[in-house]
């Protein structure tokens, strides 16, 4: 019985490490997707002015590519959310860490800290 529980514990630890690696890869995918989302419009704008072809064609390509990137980013975030939700179950000690955004309390705390720092700088000046 003790040997079986050690095997399950080892298997579970391997599974957790695998899921953490997937989470890290998803973070990289999100960063790359956001960079592409910033660069792609500039490329289409440049192509639109360099070539003498139809401007509505480039507009359509630009809009379609932005929708494609947005759907891809939503898909990556949703899959990661599902993995994190499974791993951070009720009886688990695993921390839930979303890819995009932060819990509202943490954001509010950080904003309040920054506001306090600004007030201190103004008072000291």
């Amino acid at each position: 019985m003790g040997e079986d529980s050690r095997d399950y514990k080892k298997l579970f630890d391997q599974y957790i490490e695998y899921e953490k690696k997937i989470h890290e890869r998803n973070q990289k995918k999100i960063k790359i997707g956001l960079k592409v989302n910033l660069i792609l419009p500039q490329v289409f704008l440049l192509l639109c002015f360099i070539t003498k072809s139809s401007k509505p064609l480039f507009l359509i390509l630009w809009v379609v590519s932005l929708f494609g990137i947005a759907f891809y980013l939503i898909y990556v975030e949703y899959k990661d959310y599902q993995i994190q939700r499974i791993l951070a179950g009720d009886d688990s000690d695993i921390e839930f860490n979303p890819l995009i955004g932060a819990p509202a309390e943490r954001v509010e705390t950080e904003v309040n800290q920054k506001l306090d720092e600004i007030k201190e700088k103004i008072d000291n000046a």
Side-chain angles (χ1 to χ4, degrees), residues 16-69:
I16 296 298
E17 287 301 316
Y18 174 73
E19 295 299 337
K20 286 180 181 179
K21 288 179 184 176
I22 290 176
H23 181 67
E24 290 172 6
R25 280 186 286 190
N26 286 342
Q27 287 176 330
K28 290 178 185 176
K29 288 178 184 178
I30 292 288
K31 287 178 185 177
I32 291 170
L34 291 174
K35 287 177 185 176
V36 168
N37 214 5
L38 292 174
I39 294 170
L40 193 63
Q42 295 173 3
V43 170
F44 280 122
L45 185 64
L46 183 66
L47 287 174
C48 180
F49 287 119
I50 289 176
T51 63
K52 300 291 184 193
S53 58
S54 174
K55 294 194 186 326
L57 174 68
F58 283 105
L59 176 65
I60 292 170
L61 289 173
W62 176 64
V63 170
V64 168
S65 65
L66 287 179
F67 274 107
I69 293 167

